[in-house]
């Protein structure tokens, strides 16, 4: 990997750092992200039971705040992905090797599942096993994921290392409020939502449709980024 790539956001500062450390940071970050999102949903549903319209804005702000802080805190170690879509698109773009990609994605998925389960245990609420739009949510997740990946990779290609985390957080607030699925836009979050409780929880019938929409959205974003930000430097 060239030094030019290392200076951008969503790439680790030191690719020579042991893979277990970098993948571990991805697992911990994803766990905390899903735990925060799920726990905030449970708390908001209780606090605003009389005003349910406030639950979604609260979740959007908590999710964005958690993600920005985690990217800033752990980004230098792993790149701060916490999302298999980011890691996978980097692999497709030739920015990350296959072994590293598999390790990152595995850590993210495990972290997401543990985060969703952990929030339910902390709040002592049983997982609902319901929620989501099923196949009607494919297009919504495609749009949400395409928008998120476009922001991520446009910031990376623009080398806006310091502003990238905040741009992603801002988009998430917009995406959560603007899409009917509330913008999961992350296969690890979907996996965590299957064992979560509260507003974040998803039923098994929504997982596959959401994943399909998310992958399709990531591919659309990769095409757009390739057209808008042609690479002029080789990546080793």
């Amino acid at each position: 990997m060239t030094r030019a790539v290392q200076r951008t956001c969503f790439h680790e500062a030191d690719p020579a750092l042991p893979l277990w450390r970098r993948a571990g940071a991805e697992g911990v970050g994803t766990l905390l992200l899903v735990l925060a999102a799920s726990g905030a949903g449970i708390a908001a549903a209780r606090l605003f039971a009389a005003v349910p319209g406030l639950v979604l804005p609260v979740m959007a702000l908590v999710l964005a705040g958690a993600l920005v802080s985690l990217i800033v805190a752990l980004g230098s170690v792993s790149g701060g992905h916490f999302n298999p879509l980011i890691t996978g698109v980097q692999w497709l773009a030739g920015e990350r090797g296959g072994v590293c990609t598999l390790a990152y994605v595995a850590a993210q998925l495990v972290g997401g599942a543990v985060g969703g389960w952990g929030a339910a245990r902390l709040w002592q609420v049983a997982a609902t096993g319901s929620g989501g739009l099923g196949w009607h949510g494919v297009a919504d997740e495609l749009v949400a994921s395409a928008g998120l990946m476009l922001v991520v990779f446009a910031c990376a290609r623009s080398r806006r290392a310091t502003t990238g985390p905040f741009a992603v957080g801002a988009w998430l607030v917009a995406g959560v409020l603007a899409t009917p699925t509330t913008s999961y836009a992350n296969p690890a979050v979907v996996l965590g939502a299957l064992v979560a409780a509260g507003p974040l929880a998803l039923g098994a019938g929504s997982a596959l449709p959401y994943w399909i929409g998310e992958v399709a959205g990531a591919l659309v974003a990769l095409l757009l980024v390739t057209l808008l930000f042609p690479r002029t430097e080789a990546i080793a």
Side-chain angles (χ1 to χ4, degrees):
M1 188 177 295
T2 65
R3 293 181 63 187
V5 172
Q6 293 175 34
R7 286 197 298 269
T8 69
C9 48
F10 306 108
H11 287 85
E12 52 271 51
D14 183 9
L17 199 67
L19 180 56
W20 69 267
R21 291 183 185 274
R22 292 181 282 131
E26 285 296 303
V28 170
T30 310
L31 186 159
L32 293 174
L33 176 65
V34 176
L35 188 147
S38 181
I42 296 170
R46 292 182 177 182
L47 289 171
F48 304 113
V51 192
L54 290 177
V55 173
L56 192 58
V58 168
M59 288 184 65
L61 292 173
V62 170
L63 178 60
L67 183 56
V68 169
S69 63
L70 288 167
I71 296 173
V72 171
L74 300 175
S76 63
V77 178
S78 67
H81 300 185
F82 318 130
N83 188 334
L85 297 180
I86 299 176
T87 307
V89 172
Q90 283 190 352
W91 174 70
L92 289 173
E95 300 176 8
R96 190 167 300 277
V99 173
C100 180
T101 297
L102 290 175
Y104 270 36
V105 170
Q108 291 157 355
L109 292 173
V110 171
V114 175
W117 176 86
R121 300 290 77 74
L122 286 174
W123 286 91
Q124 299 182 356
V125 179
T128 61
S130 62
L133 301 180
W135 289 100
H136 296 290
V138 173
D140 304 328
E141 283 300 293
L142 188 157
V143 171
S145 300
L148 177 61
M149 292 302 103
L150 180 61
V151 171
V152 167
F153 285 92
C155 287
R157 294 285 176 95
S158 301
R159 300 183 184 176
R160 299 181 183 275
T162 57
T163 58
F166 302 96
V168 169
W171 167 260
L172 271 181
V173 173
V176 168
L177 296 176
T179 56
T181 57
T182 67
S183 185
Y184 284 73
N186 184 333
V189 174
V190 170
L191 183 60
L194 293 175
V195 293
L200 185 74
L202 282 178
S206 290
L208 181 60
Y210 281 27
W211 282 329
I212 290 174
E214 288 163 0
V215 171
L219 294 176
V220 169
L222 176 58
L223 175 61
L224 290 174
V225 170
T226 301
L227 293 173
L228 296 173
F229 297 89
R231 238 186 346 239
T232 57
E233 299 180 30
I235 298 177

